[in-house]
Amino acid sequence: MKNVLILSLALLAPAAAFANQEMAQKKNCMACHAMDKKLVGPSYKDVAAKYAKDKDAYKKLAEKISKGGAGVWGPVPMPANPQVSAAEAETLAKWVMTVK
């Protein structure tokens, strides 16, 4: 039974990662960000690498997703995203932190 549970969780993990990438597309995040290259904003890979050692990074990122921010990645500000709920912002931030 334990092996079945482990296998089930292993199969669901990629689906969850894809679901969050899908959310990023639906919430227009991909208009400015890409997985592995800079567009208007930094790549998700670069964001994850920059904050990799910060255990509370997802909280900071969720706030930036919601409220916007400026100065961390250069002169172009990130606008606020009122179409993203607080729960969605946290989900997206946690997903960004998993991008390798």
Side-chain angles (χ1 to χ4, degrees):
M1 185 67 177
K2 183 178 178 183
N3 290 340
V4 172
L5 177 62
I6 291 170
L7 180 58
S8 296
L9 291 174
L11 292 173
L12 289 175
F18 178 75
N20 294 325
Q21 183 175 355
E22 188 175 288
M23 183 189 297
Q25 290 168 333
K26 286 182 180 177
K27 297 297 181 175
N28 295 325
C29 305
M30 304 300 264
C32 295
H33 300 278
M35 298 299 289
D36 60 358
K37 65 182 176 198
K38 180 182 182 340
L39 294 179
V40 175
S43 71
Y44 294 128
K45 181 179 176 181
D46 288 344
V47 173
K50 181 174 186 142
Y51 294 103
K53 294 182 180 178
D54 183 347
K55 65 180 175 66
D56 293 324
Y58 77 93
K59 293 176 187 176
K60 296 172 190 172
L61 294 175
E63 185 171 343
K64 283 191 182 275
I65 291 167
S66 296
K67 297 179 181 178
V72 177
W73 295 94
V76 179
M78 180 172 162
N81 291 282
Q83 79 280 11
V84 179
S85 71
E88 289 169 333
E90 187 171 309
T91 297
L92 287 166
K94 287 179 179 178
W95 167 71
V96 167
M97 292 304 298
T98 68
V99 177
K100 303 278 187 243

